[in-house]
Amino acid sequence: MSNEHSHLQHPPDVEVSEEALARAEEFIEEEEGHANKLKGALGVFLTLAAVAVSLFHLYAAYEIVPTQTLRPLHVSMILALCFIAFPVAKRFRHRIMWWDWLTVLASFAIVAYLIHGGDDFTDRNTLPNSTDIAFGVALIVLVMESMRRTNGWIMPIVTSCFIAYALFGPYLPAPWTHKGYEVGRLVGHMYMTLEGIYGVAVDVSSSLIILFTIFGAFLQFSGAGKFFIDFSFSAMGGKPTGVGRTVVLSSFLLGGPSGSGVATTVTIGSVAYPMLAKAGYEKNAAGGLLAAGGLGAIISPPVLGAAAFLIAEFLKISYLDVILMAVIPTLLFYFALFLMVQIDASKYGMHEAVIAKVDTAWNLAKRYWFHFLSLVSIVAFMLMGYSPVLSVFYATIVTLITSFLHRDCALIPYDWFRGRLPWIKGFYNSGLMKALEGGSIGVVNVAATCAGAGIIVGVVTLTGLGLKFSGIVIDYAGGSLLLTAIFTALVVWIVGLAVPVTASYIICAVITAPALIKLGVPDFAAHMFIFYYAVLSEVSPPTALSPFAAAAITGGDPYKTTLQCWKYTVPAFLLPFMFVLEPAGQGLLLMGSVKSLANADWWSIAWITFTAAVGIASIAAGFQGWAFKRTTFVERLLLIVAGFALVLPGAMSDIVGFGCVVLAIVLQLLRREPRKAAPA
């Protein structure tokens, strides 16, 4: 092996430095905000406040809290936590200023005024009085500030543009013009109804997203994350592809409950990068693989990303149906990653890297099997007929109870029960308190985004922008479904460049989904198409947070790492076109619901899955320039054409695709050149 090959750098000792981890943490903060680290009385206050918020939402999951009360209370609690936990600027970190206390009081005053107003308050939403308008404007300003503190300036700017669109409609050029709305009418819609800020996005945030975040925190503090990584390292070691496969498997296991691409990338990267480097991965390639694995966290059942909960609410379907729709695409996504890892090992002549196993996979599974139980219990409860809200509530209880099956995992230390720890201090420092605190703090950035997205959705519903935009897209596409799908994917991708996944999905679900649905695409397929392209925001500059965080760990170039990540993920991201272009493609989504499976054409589902898998393999080989051996230009072209043809449903495209695959394989087998590592 020659050192001239960029993928073949084998540093004798590679470690992830503290500086690299600090830089990676910066990228997590870019996604989740620059949080305060409060000490003393203020730290205790923040912890107790966060725990109270988690306990309230767990109570609301079990007992009935009226929607018109729960949503405003959720927003006020999230705003208050945000202004305590996140500073107005970096120079004011780790302390709470007087203006933070004012915003906290304002957050609760706004909801107190709303609840006290009762039905009279909501009935006058079309003609609000001056006090209503003052409180409504204050709420919009506070939501904007919460988004700025947790997600940066882009979301407030985008939201402001939508507000401007609602206010200045008569002055806009055709076809964007509309009658326009006064401040009072706009505020009434946003603040005094369940169509604006307190709309669908906040409904999902208050009833599902925060509960899944709490569940994820319980898993984390019971040691599930460490177990999943150790299990993956033990199960996948021993071959040249062992480290790469470990990254893929651990990303799936850890990403499922976390639902965060950046956090999954950093957690696994800090452990796996030294071994990736020793196995032969160049810095940018290693970072690309880590980011691609982290990306899978957003599309992996049972949690997926926050946007998946919104799909269920927008479509008025069970969350179990959303999980079902994600199963085959998720398997195909990780199939693509496994293929890429295998091709890397052959193409670049990688060798086995020694993986320090904690124990055998079997012994780890015997000792910590209950972590798998916690992971699958959500789906089990849904299959038993419980609602998603109750399912995640009971799964959280299961995680709490099963944590006591092993001393190292107990969320309350054994010694506390035996009186060997101070009762108050011991309980305060327990994993249970940390999980309750982490659950509510961890949802602040997503919940703030949901509140802000509610403003955008409110503008779209008030002005009819969604139907107007869909008509424009269809006109540009000339009524072609393929062109409409391409334009929709481009719009979602462009929006995703500026805003997080959740916001990108919400915005595009209300302005671009109608275009696909108008052309006959089932609503569930249209929304899954948009969801998968919204996920691209995790690996697309300037918000390519996962690749940038991976580059911080590996010391690679952020943009080269992003390009490597695209290389690993591009095969799977052609799949969404299969959802929408022909009815047969809906088989990849298992026909959209559990009920549909009873009458499903399983042969059709198996065939479309098989063609998708072959198409992914062809694209992977074509982009890598390596199948059984290094490809020639003609073979590479045939494989790429085959991949695209097989992704397009239809008999003729399948014939072309399989024909190209067979021809490429024959050409490879007929060439009698020695196999050797290819230059990068």
Side-chain angles (χ1 to χ4, degrees), residues 241-267:
T241 56
V243 179
R245 291 185 302 172
T246 296
V247 170
V248 176
L249 178 60
S250 58
S251 297
F252 172 71
L253 292 174
L254 188 63
S258 79
S260 170
V262 180
T264 303
T265 298
V266 172
T267 302

Side-chain angles (χ1 to χ4, degrees), residues 226-239 242 245-246 249-250 253 275 355-365:
K226 182 178 183 302
F227 162 70
F228 291 144
I229 293 176
D230 290 343
F231 178 82
S232 301
F233 275 56
S234 296
M236 290 294 176
K239 292 184 179 180
R245 291 185 302 172
T246 296
L249 178 60
S250 58
L253 292 174
M275 284 169 285
I355 298 178
K357 297 182 180 181
V358 175
D359 204 341
T360 65
W362 175 247
N363 285 339
L364 284 171

Side-chain angles (χ1 to χ4, degrees), residues 520-602:
V521 176
D523 53 3
F524 69 87
H527 279 261
M528 288 298 283
F529 179 88
I530 290 168
F531 169 64
Y532 274 90
Y533 277 98
V535 170
L536 279 173
S537 65
E538 282 285 325
V539 293
S540 303
T543 55
L545 296 178
S546 291
F548 281 32
I553 289 175
T554 65
D557 179 88
Y559 291 97
K560 290 181 180 178
T561 300
T562 301
L563 291 175
Q564 289 288 334
C565 184
W566 282 352
K567 179 192 77 173
Y568 285 110
T569 57
V570 70
F573 277 104
L574 291 172
L575 279 179
F577 281 95
M578 299 185 77
F579 305 163
V580 300
L581 293 183
E582 281 207 18
Q586 295 156 27
L588 292 174
L589 301 176
L590 294 175
M591 314 313 293
S593 72
V594 175
K595 293 180 181 178
S596 300
L597 289 180
N599 301 315
D601 182 353
W602 287 100

Side-chain angles (χ1 to χ4, degrees), residues 9 41 106 182 282 323 417 444 449 498-499 560 637:
Q9 299 172 6
E182 297 178 351
E282 177 261 345
I323 292 176
F417 291 101
V444 168
T449 299
V499 300
K560 290 181 180 178
L637 182 62

Side-chain angles (χ1 to χ4, degrees), residues 212-222 257 411 431 434-436 438-439:
F212 273 90
T213 307
I214 294 169
F215 170 68
F218 270 64
L219 282 175
Q220 175 190 346
F221 286 99
S222 65
L411 285 169
K434 292 176 182 176
L436 290 170

